[in-house]
Amino acid sequence: MKTVTKINPITSDFNEKPKLRVAAYCRVSTDSDDQLASLEAQVSHYKSTIKSNPVWEFAGIYCDEGITGTKKEKRPELLRMVADCENRKIDFIFIKSISRFSRNTADCLELVRKLLSLGIYIYFEKENIHTGSMESELMLSILSGLAENESNSIAENNKWSIQKRFQNGTYKIASSPYGYNAVNGELIVNEQQAEIVRFIFSEILSGKSLHTIAKQLNQRSIPTKKGRQWSGATLRDMVCNEKYIGDVIFQKTYSDSQFKRHHNNGEKDQYLIKNHHEAIISHEDFEAVQLVIEQRGKEKGLNKGDSKYQNRYPFSGKIICGQCGRTFKRRTNSNGRKQIAWCCTTHLENIGKCSMKSILDIDFEYAFVTMINKLIFSHQTVLKPLLIGLRGVNADDGLASIHDIDKKLAENAEQQHLLVSLMTKGYLDRPVYKKSNNNLLQEAERLLRQKDAINRLLQSGNQHLSEVSALLHYATKATMLKRFDGAVFDQFVNRVFVYSRAEIGFEMKCGITLKERLVK
């Protein structure tokens, strides 16, 4: 007879559930002592909260110090956290409030959607919102819209205050150019740096190129104001600064409604104050150097201020490092043969701070051609549903919510009218009327803010709608690209994110990001 031996299953590993890997994100907008103390309190709170839960595994705290919440690209710790989420190192995230996460509605929704697609949920403690249990994004969009409104209001108040100080000449300079120290709002000559400034101007007038002078300064181990390496571009910007002749021009740059900074080419008023501080360079030498810079630009076919000068190549200013958040610079590699490549600015300045290596220009071009050809081939299954979805969200969610808010505002107005009627007839005491009316006014103001937030969300959606429509129209009519087309790239791509030397992402102007592998 055959012998049968029963082997019992090993159940311990199956019954034991893996711990939830929980992280937290913290941010303060200034580096003041009070704000840094608040940051330390947040870090301590989340560390103890996460570590005290036996079913959680501490996955780290990500902190951005003294950084604005209006742009995600300028927050390296946030980008690092998202990268760790993509690498499956995090399952759940704690954040104090929506305003700590983002004061930009579009960025907030984009990040939440991205993490949701990875199966990662966020808990906003102050608002008591858990993204895993949300039936729709409406409440999140309203609250993040309010945070953006608050940020806009603060920014507008600050702008008004700064404008007044520009106009009456009382604006105090917080940061100083190389060669000066800012002391209580005054520019005081730093004699050690001033000697280097004079050396740079004299070398230019002697006929040396900016790159040659930069190389000399680096060989002498002379750092820039921020302790970095000198470059020709750094010197070009430096020697065009009017502060070296003792003058100052206020509002040379400005921020738009999307918090993007632009050079002021006449769009905004500027304010010139002559003899504002002690000069380092004479007017004659300064003007002579400007003529030399202008002449060299003409010899290269470049005129300062032209779009060609500011953005000579399709990828200029659009490639973003996924590790540190800074842009890539164009370089020519000479390894037997000349090759055009793009490299992270931080990596070029300090390899220890960013390990992202250079990527060939042709690799970016090939990846774009591959990506756009995929869209052309599958536009019916990718772009058309996206277009229909955007139309549906705008019509169903946003407009219905605005309709509900309008009804509540009408009811609020009727109640205010009733209060006035009751008080005038003597049925209501004035203190009771004031209290009730103030409550109604506050409620009306809150409803109006919500309505404004939804309207702005719809406008953003309409912009994406038009961009998707344009991309779909192009993909429907176009033939497969055989080579890189800079005009097509500029028309549809906002930025390129480099996650690694093997993978990049094209952030399209229509709001979606399409990843593509780099072929080696």
Side-chain angles (χ1 to χ4, degrees), residues 367-368 370-371 374 502-506 514-518:
F368 172 75
T370 304
M371 182 274 296
K374 286 179 181 178
E503 187 179 46
I504 62 175
F506 292 96
L514 302 171
K515 291 186 178 180
E516 195 63 52
R517 302 290 296 180
L518 292 176

Side-chain angles (χ1 to χ4, degrees), residues 218-284:
N218 292 330
Q219 287 174 344
R220 290 168 57 184
S221 299
I222 298 172
T224 65
K225 188 81 171 180
K226 295 182 179 180
R228 298 171 179 169
Q229 294 277 304
W230 294 91
S231 68
T234 302
L235 291 175
R236 182 175 59 245
D237 292 339
M238 175 181 169
V239 298
C240 294
N241 194 334
E242 79 291 337
K243 291 184 179 68
Y244 291 119
I245 56 174
D247 298 343
V248 62
I249 297 175
F250 291 131
Q251 197 157 260
K252 289 192 282 189
T253 63
Y254 67 94
S255 296
D256 61 19
S257 59
Q258 300 300 315
F259 305 103
K260 293 182 180 179
R261 187 153 289 278
H262 303 276
H263 287 286
N264 186 0
N265 296 314
E267 297 87 354
K268 303 285 183 181
D269 291 336
Q270 291 186 330
Y271 305 88
L272 169 65
I273 300 179
K274 292 191 173 184
N275 302 317
H276 176 269
H277 53 270
E278 183 181 349
I280 294 176
I281 301 298
S282 68
H283 281 73
E284 294 76 16

